[in-house]
Amino acid sequence: MLVLTRKVGESINIGDNIKIQIMDVKGRSVRIGIEAPKNMSIHREEVYAKIQEENHLASSWQGVNMDTLKTLMGNMGGKKP
C-alpha cells in the first residue's frame, strides 16, 4: 500500500481521471473530495463489502422448486378460518 502525507487542500491524482482532495481534518476524521468519471463506482469500504456480500448471495441462489412453491401456496390460500 502506498501511504502519502497530505495537508488540507492538497490532493493526489490516480491516473488521468481521478483526483482525491483532502477537504478537512477534525480529530480522527478526514473529509475527502473525489473527482472521478461518473461511470466509476465509489463506495465507502463498509458499503462496498455489503454490496459484495449481497452479490455473492444472489449468485449462489439455487432457484425455486415450483412443486414445493405450489404446495406452499396451496396450503396458504386454500383454507379459511
Side-chain angles (χ1 to χ4, degrees):
M1 174 187 296
L2 173 65
V3 179
L4 300 171
T5 300
R6 302 275 63 201
K7 296 177 182 172
V8 172
E10 294 181 337
S11 59
I12 60 171
N13 290 346
I14 300 173
D16 294 331
N17 299 325
I18 301 171
K19 178 179 177 181
I20 300 173
Q21 184 173 3
I22 306 302
M23 308 299 287
D24 194 15
V25 178
K26 288 184 181 175
R28 295 177 50 95
S29 296
V30 178
R31 188 168 180 229
I32 60 172
I34 302 169
E35 294 178 18
K38 298 242 184 247
N39 63 347
M40 181 171 281
S41 298
I42 301 171
H43 303 284
R44 286 175 279 151
E45 185 174 20
E46 61 274 17
V47 172
Y48 183 75
K50 186 67 177 172
I51 290 169
Q52 293 298 308
E53 180 183 320
E54 293 294 327
N55 286 343
H56 177 72
L57 287 173
S59 68
S60 63
W61 187 64
Q62 297 296 316
V64 174
N65 180 319
M66 293 306 287
D67 292 332
T68 302
L69 182 59
K70 286 178 186 175
T71 301
L72 290 171
M73 296 301 287
N75 290 340
M76 291 175 61
K79 296 180 182 175
K80 294 186 178 182

